Amino acid sequence: MSNIYESAATTLGLFNSPCLAKVELRVTCKGISDRDALSKPDPCVLIKMQSHGQWLEVDRTEVIRSSISPTFSKVFTLDFYFEEVQRLRYELYDISSSHNGIKEADFLGAMECTLGQIVSQRKLSRPLLKQGNTVGKSFIMVTAEELTGNDDYVELSFSARKLDDKDFFSKSDPFLEIFRINDDSSLQLVHRTETVMNNLNPVWKTFKTSLNSLCSGDHDRPLKCTVWDWDSNGKHDFIGEFQATFKEMRGAMDGRQVACKRIIISSPQIIKMHSFLDYIMGGCQIQFTVAIDFTASNGDPHNSCSLHYIHPYQPNEYLKALVAVGEICQDYDSDKMFPAFGFGARIPPDFKVSHDFAVNFNEENPECAGIQGVVEAYQNCLPKLQLYGPTNIAPIIQKVARSASQEMHTKEAMQYFILLILTDGVITDMADTREAIVQASHLPMSIIIVGVGSADFSDMQMLDGDDGILRSPKGEPCLRDIVQFVPFRNFKHGSPAELAKTVLAEVPNQVVDYYNNKGIKPKVPSEFESSRTFAP
């Protein structure tokens, strides 16, 4: 590992932010060697998490007496943050003392990994390393499962028959309100239907609401439904009401109907809202691609003032941003091979300007082995380039979009593309870039742009759809927000992990939004090869 890569990687830390999900981890061990020939070991596993360079114990399993292949019943529950590197360490001990003390216990081995590696594989099996990091014969397997909450949605259909007529010269104009009855007996409005004019047999539009909003996830919580005759003066006439639990409403699913006060509830359906972890655990891979700005405005790489200057021990801003984001994404890519491109430079042998050349100069295979491989390719290519210009990023967006387009046609949630663009200046092909982003918004793809240096990046903010919908020059809007832009200087005096947290925080929702919009469900573990080989 290069000094620069190691230096950048070790600056990563943990931050407090709302977790994306909670994950349950279960542990088994196999082939624990007997240290005492007269008895079998009494194993116990400690789980530790790294924070600011220190390993802190999170929890531990129970002690299982006399077992060389224990399956522990203890379940570890951890908050999962996609945008952070959550480093874990599992330590196996033989607890021979009656008071279960770790200090008196025999250390049998340890395994280190990240939470991202566990959830991306669902079952992570590795050998336990003994003192001196020697590989022993014992193995540990960690299994992950998302702890689901009340994020599902309910689809409800209401209709009525022979309602009372409250109007003299026409029929009633009914609408329906559904309320949740809280623990303190207060009413919380969940939904109000549209008004069906002049109709005593209304069929209201089907609507969706979250199970949490409807009944706080409690199927036995009473709900109150009230029907009114709409009046333009706001003094609506009461027609009728009834109470029922969601469990009672679901009785309609077996072909029966719940009718009370002539209100009919037809076949409520629970709609599963798939989460980011559902897709990751279903085999979806994050395809991470890097694009680096090699325009002349970066300065001569031989000059210490250049943004591309390679200091022997201190990584430049390009490397800090690359490692910070790449360290996260690499856990969700099984082969750990990452395409790396450059733009804005004259490249050998003919030194023509290119805006999408392979940093390793292998156009047939631009992939680098791991984030370390990207760092090394970047360092190796700098002396061979002539920094030039202009700053055009549309070609690299289009290049990655072509790969994402091929994945889209499979209609499966197996590959999602993240393009990290590192640039020092305002882009010069804004119209083409807007067009490329709008087209990419239809694809399984997200774009992260990090502005390096002290340039004025105000024009770049328009690419980030947070302040409004980005449109192409022809007026076509983005289908969804896929761009996140941040200037590196906002994080210059903090940890690069904070940068990664900021730029990657929106990715899980972008992944889910894409697949939900396309109606693509995650695969269940049995539908894809569970024995995939993951690089360490």
Side-chain angles (χ1 to χ4, degrees):
M1 180 181 291
S2 68
N3 289 335
I4 288 178
Y5 176 80
E6 190 173 39
S7 175
T10 54
T11 61
L12 301 178
L14 296 174
F15 292 85
N16 294 321
S17 62
C19 69
L20 181 64
K22 290 185 178 294
V23 178
E24 291 183 339
L25 303 178
R26 292 172 170 81
V27 181
T28 60
C29 296
K30 290 185 178 181
I32 300 176
S33 57
D34 295 339
R35 298 174 65 89
D36 187 343
L38 300 178
S39 64
K40 294 181 179 180
D42 303 324
C44 173
V45 173
L46 272 65
I47 180 173
K48 296 182 177 181
M49 180 173 284
Q50 191 177 70
S51 177
H52 304 292
Q54 301 293 320
W55 288 107
L56 304 177
E57 181 179 344
V58 175
D59 208 342
R60 65 179 65 178
T61 68
E62 75 277 17
V63 177
I64 296 183
R65 300 298 177 185
S66 301
S67 177
I68 59 173
S69 296
T71 298
F72 298 97
S73 62
K74 172 71 176 183
V75 178
F76 300 114
T77 302
L78 298 180
D79 291 343
F80 170 70
Y81 303 86
F82 168 74
E83 66 273 18
E84 297 179 8
V85 177
Q86 296 175 267
R87 301 190 187 279
L88 303 177
R89 177 179 171 88
Y90 290 85
E91 296 179 352
L92 176 65
Y93 290 90
D94 179 8
I95 308 292
S96 57
S97 61
S98 59
H99 51 77
N100 293 348
I102 292 297
K103 290 184 178 180
E104 295 83 8
D106 293 324
F107 174 75
L108 300 182
M111 183 272 287
E112 294 181 13
C113 63
T114 68
L115 184 55
Q117 290 171 332
I118 298 174
V119 300
S120 65
Q121 302 182 47
R122 292 193 75 252
K123 292 182 180 180
L124 179 68
S125 180
R126 286 185 179 177
L128 290 164
L129 301 182
K130 298 181 177 181
Q131 298 287 1
N133 289 330
T134 58
V135 178
K137 296 181 180 179
S138 304
F139 279 80
I140 185 170
M141 176 182 288
V142 184
T143 303
E145 183 176 353
E146 182 181 7
L147 185 62
T148 57
N150 299 319
D151 298 328
D152 293 341
Y153 273 66
V154 181
E155 189 174 80
L156 288 166
S157 299
F158 286 84
S159 60
R161 295 290 180 271
K162 299 180 181 179
L163 292 179
D164 294 340
D165 192 352
K166 298 294 183 178
D167 293 336
F168 290 108
F169 301 107
S170 63
K171 296 177 182 178
S172 295
D173 306 319
F175 69 92
L176 179 144
E177 293 178 325
I178 181 169
F179 295 87
R180 181 181 73 232
I181 301 179
N182 297 321
D183 293 335
D184 60 0
S185 298
S186 62
L187 298 179
Q188 176 64 53
L189 179 65
V190 175
H191 181 77
R192 180 182 293 115
T193 70
E194 76 285 1
T195 300
V196 179
M197 305 300 290
N198 196 31
N199 195 326
L200 300 182
N201 301 294
V203 177
W204 290 286
K205 292 180 181 179
T206 300
F207 67 93
K208 297 177 183 177
T209 184
S210 70
L211 193 59
N212 186 61
S213 175
L214 179 67
C215 59
S216 302
D218 179 4
H219 291 209
D220 292 317
R221 180 178 295 276
L223 304 171
K224 181 178 180 180
C225 296
T226 306
V227 180
W228 301 86
D229 172 29
W230 177 85
D231 281 329
S232 59
N233 61 8
K235 296 180 180 180
H236 311 306
D237 297 317
F238 175 77
I239 295 179
E241 66 179 30
F242 73 94
Q243 289 190 18
T245 65
F246 178 64
K247 184 177 182 180
E248 291 171 335
M249 292 182 179
R250 291 199 71 195
M253 296 183 68
D254 62 6
R256 294 184 289 108
Q257 292 182 324
V258 177
C260 189
K261 293 290 184 181
R262 300 189 182 90
I263 306 299
I264 301 170
I265 309 165
S266 302
S267 302
Q269 301 287 338
I270 292 183
I271 304 170
K272 172 65 177 175
M273 298 301 291
H274 298 291
S275 69
F276 174 72
L277 279 185
D278 287 335
Y279 288 101
I280 293 299
M281 291 182 173
C284 182
Q285 298 279 295
I286 299 295
Q287 299 295 328
F288 180 60
T289 302
V290 181
I292 302 173
D293 184 339
F294 290 106
T295 55
S297 55
N298 284 279
D300 185 354
H302 297 94
N303 190 316
S304 61
C305 296
S306 171
L307 293 171
H308 281 304
Y309 180 70
I310 302 297
H311 190 279
Y313 302 105
Q314 179 62 37
N316 60 36
E317 292 185 8
Y318 279 99
L319 286 169
K320 288 179 180 178
L322 164 61
V323 172
V325 178
E327 282 280 296
I328 306 294
C329 296
Q330 68 176 355
D331 286 343
Y332 305 92
D333 188 325
S334 60
D335 63 7
K336 303 292 186 290
M337 299 297 292
F338 307 115
F341 299 98
F343 58 92
R346 288 176 166 174
I347 62 173
D350 53 8
F351 288 95
K352 291 183 178 179
V353 177
S354 175
H355 297 292
D356 58 354
F357 65 89
V359 172
N360 63 4
F361 298 118
N362 185 347
E363 299 299 332
E364 297 299 322
N365 183 16
E367 294 185 331
C368 304
I371 301 303
Q372 180 184 354
V374 177
V375 170
E376 292 172 350
Y378 163 75
Q379 291 175 289
N380 293 334
C381 81
L382 271 172
K384 304 172 185 177
L385 300 175
Q386 290 182 5
L387 274 59
Y388 203 69
T391 308
N392 293 346
I393 66 173
I396 194 65
I397 295 175
Q398 293 163 348
K399 180 184 282 285
V400 176
R402 284 193 289 272
S403 297
S405 179
Q406 295 175 2
E407 173 64 19
M408 181 186 68
H409 295 311
T410 67
K411 300 186 186 308
E412 292 185 339
M414 296 308 293
Q415 292 190 88
Y416 190 91
F417 294 77
I418 294 180
L419 170 60
L420 171 63
I421 300 175
L422 306 172
T423 180
D424 84 311
V426 178
I427 60 176
T428 52
D429 62 342
M430 182 62 77
D432 289 342
T433 296
R434 286 163 53 197
E435 178 68 31
I437 291 173
V438 168
Q439 298 307 315
S441 71
H442 295 261
L443 306 174
M445 180 175 170
S446 293
I447 302 170
I448 298 167
I449 305 175
V450 177
V452 176
S454 57
D456 180 5
F457 293 112
S458 56
D459 289 344
M460 300 282 276
Q461 298 292 347
M462 69 175 297
L463 300 179
D464 193 322
D466 292 342
D467 299 327
I469 298 177
L470 177 70
R471 295 180 180 271
S472 72
K474 299 177 182 177
E476 181 184 355
C478 268
L479 180 65
R480 56 194 184 90
D481 178 17
I482 65 168
V483 177
Q484 180 74 354
F485 169 78
V486 297
F488 186 88
R489 59 173 172 265
N490 290 356
F491 306 90
K492 196 168 186 177
H493 301 294
S495 165
E498 190 173 357
L499 167 71
K501 173 185 169 183
T502 299
V503 300
L504 290 172
E506 296 181 7
V507 167
N509 284 337
Q510 291 172 351
V511 172
V512 172
D513 286 347
Y514 171 77
Y515 290 120
N516 278 343
N517 288 338
K518 296 293 184 181
I520 299 175
K521 298 179 180 180
K523 289 181 177 292
V524 297
S526 61
E527 292 178 345
F528 69 95
E529 188 178 1
S530 59
S531 59
R532 293 172 297 159
T533 302
F534 276 70

